PDB file of all heavy atoms in Angstrom:
ATOM      1  N   GLY A 336     103.017 113.563 110.222  1.00  0.00           N
ATOM      2  CA  GLY A 336     101.802 113.958 109.486  1.00  0.00           C
ATOM      3  C   GLY A 336     101.127 115.142 110.141  1.00  0.00           C
ATOM      4  O   GLY A 336     100.734 116.102 109.473  1.00  0.00           O
ATOM      5  N   ALA A 337     101.002 115.099 111.477  1.00  0.00           N
ATOM      6  CA  ALA A 337     100.311 116.196 112.176  1.00  0.00           C
ATOM      7  C   ALA A 337     101.088 117.502 111.991  1.00  0.00           C
ATOM      8  O   ALA A 337     100.489 118.564 111.735  1.00  0.00           O
ATOM      9  CB  ALA A 337     100.152 115.856 113.653  1.00  0.00           C
ATOM     10  N   LEU A 338     102.413 117.435 112.096  1.00  0.00           N
ATOM     11  CA  LEU A 338     103.216 118.664 111.940  1.00  0.00           C
ATOM     12  C   LEU A 338     103.127 119.200 110.507  1.00  0.00           C
ATOM     13  O   LEU A 338     102.941 120.397 110.282  1.00  0.00           O
ATOM     14  CB  LEU A 338     104.688 118.378 112.275  1.00  0.00           C
ATOM     15  CG  LEU A 338     105.026 118.239 113.763  1.00  0.00           C
ATOM     16  CD1 LEU A 338     106.447 117.705 113.921  1.00  0.00           C
ATOM     17  CD2 LEU A 338     104.883 119.582 114.495  1.00  0.00           C
ATOM     18  N   ALA A 339     103.260 118.288 109.545  1.00  0.00           N
ATOM     19  CA  ALA A 339     103.241 118.734 108.138  1.00  0.00           C
ATOM     20  C   ALA A 339     101.869 119.296 107.769  1.00  0.00           C
ATOM     21  O   ALA A 339     101.766 120.303 107.061  1.00  0.00           O
ATOM     22  CB  ALA A 339     103.600 117.562 107.224  1.00  0.00           C
ATOM     23  N   ASN A 340     100.836 118.680 108.289  1.00  0.00           N
ATOM     24  CA  ASN A 340      99.487 119.165 108.006  1.00  0.00           C
ATOM     25  C   ASN A 340      99.279 120.545 108.632  1.00  0.00           C
ATOM     26  O   ASN A 340      98.672 121.436 108.037  1.00  0.00           O
ATOM     27  CB  ASN A 340      98.466 118.170 108.549  1.00  0.00           C
ATOM     28  CG  ASN A 340      97.094 118.440 107.992  1.00  0.00           C
ATOM     29  OD1 ASN A 340      96.944 118.669 106.799  1.00  0.00           O
ATOM     30  ND2 ASN A 340      96.105 118.468 108.854  1.00  0.00           N
ATOM     31  N   HIS A 341      99.833 120.722 109.824  1.00  0.00           N
ATOM     32  CA  HIS A 341      99.742 122.015 110.503  1.00  0.00           C
ATOM     33  C   HIS A 341     100.418 123.102 109.646  1.00  0.00           C
ATOM     34  O   HIS A 341      99.850 124.176 109.422  1.00  0.00           O
ATOM     35  CB  HIS A 341     100.432 121.871 111.867  1.00  0.00           C
ATOM     36  CG  HIS A 341     100.632 123.155 112.577  1.00  0.00           C
ATOM     37  ND1 HIS A 341      99.618 123.791 113.256  1.00  0.00           N
ATOM     38  CD2 HIS A 341     101.726 123.945 112.702  1.00  0.00           C
ATOM     39  CE1 HIS A 341     100.091 124.916 113.772  1.00  0.00           C
ATOM     40  NE2 HIS A 341     101.358 125.025 113.454  1.00  0.00           N
ATOM     41  N   VAL A 342     101.618 122.805 109.160  1.00  0.00           N
ATOM     42  CA  VAL A 342     102.355 123.799 108.362  1.00  0.00           C
ATOM     43  C   VAL A 342     101.616 124.062 107.037  1.00  0.00           C
ATOM     44  O   VAL A 342     101.489 125.199 106.590  1.00  0.00           O
ATOM     45  CB  VAL A 342     103.809 123.324 108.107  1.00  0.00           C
ATOM     46  CG1 VAL A 342     104.533 124.240 107.141  1.00  0.00           C
ATOM     47  CG2 VAL A 342     104.559 123.231 109.418  1.00  0.00           C
ATOM     48  N   ARG A 343     101.088 123.002 106.451  1.00  0.00           N
ATOM     49  CA  ARG A 343     100.334 123.148 105.189  1.00  0.00           C
ATOM     50  C   ARG A 343      99.106 124.022 105.405  1.00  0.00           C
ATOM     51  O   ARG A 343      98.820 124.937 104.631  1.00  0.00           O
ATOM     52  CB  ARG A 343      99.942 121.745 104.716  1.00  0.00           C
ATOM     53  CG  ARG A 343      99.150 121.725 103.454  1.00  0.00           C
ATOM     54  CD  ARG A 343      97.739 121.229 103.716  1.00  0.00           C
ATOM     55  NE  ARG A 343      97.225 120.608 102.519  1.00  0.00           N
ATOM     56  CZ  ARG A 343      96.299 121.149 101.721  1.00  0.00           C
ATOM     57  NH1 ARG A 343      95.764 122.312 101.993  1.00  0.00           N
ATOM     58  NH2 ARG A 343      95.899 120.520 100.641  1.00  0.00           N
ATOM     59  N   GLU A 344      98.395 123.789 106.498  1.00  0.00           N
ATOM     60  CA  GLU A 344      97.172 124.569 106.736  1.00  0.00           C
ATOM     61  C   GLU A 344      97.501 125.999 107.149  1.00  0.00           C
ATOM     62  O   GLU A 344      96.762 126.922 106.831  1.00  0.00           O
ATOM     63  CB  GLU A 344      96.299 123.862 107.775  1.00  0.00           C
ATOM     64  CG  GLU A 344      95.704 122.574 107.203  1.00  0.00           C
ATOM     65  CD  GLU A 344      94.747 121.866 108.139  1.00  0.00           C
ATOM     66  OE1 GLU A 344      94.593 122.309 109.296  1.00  0.00           O
ATOM     67  OE2 GLU A 344      94.165 120.846 107.699  1.00  0.00           O
ATOM     68  N   ARG A 345      98.630 126.170 107.828  1.00  0.00           N
ATOM     69  CA  ARG A 345      99.056 127.535 108.202  1.00  0.00           C
ATOM     70  C   ARG A 345      99.296 128.347 106.925  1.00  0.00           C
ATOM     71  O   ARG A 345      98.972 129.508 106.844  1.00  0.00           O
ATOM     72  CB  ARG A 345     100.351 127.417 109.017  1.00  0.00           C
ATOM     73  CG  ARG A 345     100.835 128.695 109.656  1.00  0.00           C
ATOM     74  CD  ARG A 345     101.872 128.398 110.751  1.00  0.00           C
ATOM     75  NE  ARG A 345     103.142 127.932 110.199  1.00  0.00           N
ATOM     76  CZ  ARG A 345     104.092 127.307 110.902  1.00  0.00           C
ATOM     77  NH1 ARG A 345     103.914 127.044 112.180  1.00  0.00           N
ATOM     78  NH2 ARG A 345     105.222 126.926 110.338  1.00  0.00           N
ATOM     79  N   ARG A 346      99.813 127.691 105.918  1.00  0.00           N
ATOM     80  CA  ARG A 346     100.166 128.401 104.691  1.00  0.00           C
ATOM     81  C   ARG A 346      99.035 128.467 103.682  1.00  0.00           C
ATOM     82  O   ARG A 346      98.838 129.460 103.002  1.00  0.00           O
ATOM     83  CB  ARG A 346     101.366 127.692 104.064  1.00  0.00           C
ATOM     84  CG  ARG A 346     101.985 128.446 102.954  1.00  0.00           C
ATOM     85  CD  ARG A 346     103.458 128.100 102.827  1.00  0.00           C
ATOM     86  NE  ARG A 346     104.093 129.080 101.977  1.00  0.00           N
ATOM     87  CZ  ARG A 346     105.380 129.293 101.934  1.00  0.00           C
ATOM     88  NH1 ARG A 346     106.185 128.628 102.704  1.00  0.00           N
ATOM     89  NH2 ARG A 346     105.873 130.186 101.105  1.00  0.00           N
ATOM     90  N   HIS A 347      98.313 127.350 103.534  1.00  0.00           N
ATOM     91  CA  HIS A 347      97.341 127.260 102.429  1.00  0.00           C
ATOM     92  C   HIS A 347      95.923 126.934 102.874  1.00  0.00           C
ATOM     93  O   HIS A 347      95.053 126.789 102.016  1.00  0.00           O
ATOM     94  CB  HIS A 347      97.780 126.172 101.438  1.00  0.00           C
ATOM     95  CG  HIS A 347      99.099 126.445 100.789  1.00  0.00           C
ATOM     96  ND1 HIS A 347      99.272 127.433  99.851  1.00  0.00           N
ATOM     97  CD2 HIS A 347     100.315 125.868 100.952  1.00  0.00           C
ATOM     98  CE1 HIS A 347     100.547 127.445  99.460  1.00  0.00           C
ATOM     99  NE2 HIS A 347     101.189 126.507 100.117  1.00  0.00           N
ATOM    100  N   GLY A 348      95.684 126.783 104.178  1.00  0.00           N
ATOM    101  CA  GLY A 348      94.360 126.336 104.615  1.00  0.00           C
ATOM    102  C   GLY A 348      94.059 124.999 103.952  1.00  0.00           C
ATOM    103  O   GLY A 348      94.925 124.127 103.866  1.00  0.00           O
ATOM    104  N   ASP A 349      92.839 124.861 103.430  1.00  0.00           N
ATOM    105  CA  ASP A 349      92.462 123.603 102.763  1.00  0.00           C
ATOM    106  C   ASP A 349      92.682 123.628 101.256  1.00  0.00           C
ATOM    107  O   ASP A 349      92.375 122.655 100.555  1.00  0.00           O
ATOM    108  CB  ASP A 349      90.971 123.318 103.026  1.00  0.00           C
ATOM    109  CG  ASP A 349      90.754 122.745 104.415  1.00  0.00           C
ATOM    110  OD1 ASP A 349      91.665 122.054 104.918  1.00  0.00           O
ATOM    111  OD2 ASP A 349      89.687 123.008 104.988  1.00  0.00           O
ATOM    112  N   LYS A 350      93.172 124.782 100.748  1.00  0.00           N
ATOM    113  CA  LYS A 350      93.285 124.896  99.281  1.00  0.00           C
ATOM    114  C   LYS A 350      94.216 123.827  98.697  1.00  0.00           C
ATOM    115  O   LYS A 350      95.321 123.614  99.220  1.00  0.00           O
ATOM    116  CB  LYS A 350      93.869 126.263  98.909  1.00  0.00           C
ATOM    117  CG  LYS A 350      92.852 127.371  98.985  1.00  0.00           C
ATOM    118  CD  LYS A 350      93.459 128.660  98.501  1.00  0.00           C
ATOM    119  CE  LYS A 350      92.450 129.784  98.688  1.00  0.00           C
ATOM    120  NZ  LYS A 350      93.043 131.098  98.448  1.00  0.00           N
ATOM    121  N   THR A 351      93.770 123.206  97.649  1.00  0.00           N
ATOM    122  CA  THR A 351      94.606 122.227  96.943  1.00  0.00           C
ATOM    123  C   THR A 351      94.550 122.563  95.459  1.00  0.00           C
ATOM    124  O   THR A 351      93.468 122.574  94.859  1.00  0.00           O
ATOM    125  CB  THR A 351      94.092 120.797  97.195  1.00  0.00           C
ATOM    126  OG1 THR A 351      94.134 120.578  98.613  1.00  0.00           O
ATOM    127  CG2 THR A 351      94.956 119.775  96.499  1.00  0.00           C
TER     128      THR A 351
END
Side-chain angles (χ1 to χ4, degrees):
L338 284 170
N340 194 45
H341 170 78
V342 173
R343 179 247 208 253
E344 290 184 355
R345 188 164 71 197
R346 191 152 194 161
H347 298 289
D349 281 330
K350 282 185 184 171
T351 301

